[in-house]
């Protein structure tokens, strides 16, 4: 199933050009899909179909309990970044849950004069709590998959700062349930900026694949339903400072497109407390 959140709080199943309204109501700030995942209940109703083109898709999980990132998880990206270490030495990082946006929304650049990059990534949505899960059983904890961008400022701060600006984690356009993705380690990912192909790679090339990421992450912290794991980006990252649109497309999952807005960017030297303690 392709499960979408649309029109401020409805859950729908997307089939072809239609979306079937299945439930909604007052889900709170974490959104209706989070409340569905927390409850563990199945979809029991299936309303009328409306054209997908007539609804406004929202982030499937606007406030995930955690967003876990995988640094330097493709060898070719390690080479382009001249990174001395990979995920094996770096471990994982966390992004603020407040950084999520949905399809069609805008990534807001914080700085006029610091490079900010796109990182197209496969995202995993956890469906069942996981703690110290072995690799062989890790995929049993996956609810589904979606497309993600891990937007990143290239400055000196810790990853959790550089990647946590509001709007820096676009997710969508929907979550494809795990039964439709038998092998998350065999998906083509493409990322375009203003229509220009920048990233094209297979998840075969992940250093830690999805089962290894879940096993490792769950050895550090309990994974909860709704947690999102960003699996890392392949080679081809680059600046979006002059860009207008970014799209990431993943085989079997879909295509997520967002715009870029530099309207509120400030000079890096004007950020709060710049230079204090230097
Ligand atoms: Mn990344």
């Amino acid at each position: 199933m392709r499960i979408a959140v649309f029109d401020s709080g409805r859950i729908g199943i997307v089939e072809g050009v239609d979306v079937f309204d299945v439930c909604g109501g007052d889900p709170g700030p974490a959104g209706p899909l989070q409340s569905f995942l927390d409850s563990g209940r199945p979809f029991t109703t299936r309303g009328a179909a409306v054209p997908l083109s007539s609804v406004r898709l929202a982030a499937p999980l606007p406030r995930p309990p955690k967003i876990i990132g995988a640094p330097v998880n493709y060898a070719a990206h390690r080479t382009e970044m001249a990174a001395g270490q990979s995920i094996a030495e770096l471990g994982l990082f966390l992004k603020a849950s407040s950084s999520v946006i949905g399809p069609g929304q805008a990534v807001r650049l914080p700085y006029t004069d610091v490079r900010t990059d796109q990182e197209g990534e496969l995202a995993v949505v956890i469906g069942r709590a996981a703690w110290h899960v072995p690799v062989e059983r890790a995929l049993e904890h996956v609810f589904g998959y979606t497309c993600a961008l891990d937007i990143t400022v290239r400055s000196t701060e810790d990853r959790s700062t550089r990647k946590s600006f509001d709007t820096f984690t676009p997710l969508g356009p929907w979550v494809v349930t795990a039964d439709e993705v038998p092998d998350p380690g065999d998906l083509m990912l493409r990322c375009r900026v203003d229509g220009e192909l920048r990233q094209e790679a297979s998840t075969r090339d992940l250093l830690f694949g999805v089962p290894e990421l879940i096993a490792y992450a769950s050895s550090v912290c309990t994974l909860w339903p709704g947690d999102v794991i960003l699996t890392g980006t392949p080679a081809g990252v680059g600046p979006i400072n002059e860009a207008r649109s970014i799209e990431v497309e993943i085989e079997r999952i879909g295509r997520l497109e967002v715009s870029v807005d530099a309207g509120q960017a400030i000079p890096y030297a004007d950020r709060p407390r710049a230079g204090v303690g230097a």
Side-chain angles (χ1 to χ4, degrees), residues 19-20 23 30 50 86 95 103 135 140 148-149 177 212 231 235 255 262 278:
V19 54
F20 292 84
C23 56
V50 294
S86 76
K95 298 189 77 165
V135 168
E140 297 172 20
L149 287 158
T177 50
E212 290 80 12
T231 56
R255 188 174 67 87

Side-chain angles (χ1 to χ4, degrees), residues 122-142:
L122 171 69
V124 180
V125 176
I126 297 296
R128 199 152 63 76
W131 188 74
H132 285 267
V133 176
V135 168
E136 312 79 61
R137 307 208 60 170
L139 292 183
E140 297 172 20
H141 295 262
V142 175

Side-chain angles (χ1 to χ4, degrees), residues 70 93 119 121 150 163 232-233:
F93 62 87
E119 297 189 351
E121 309 199 2
D150 175 19
K163 294 167 173 284
T233 201

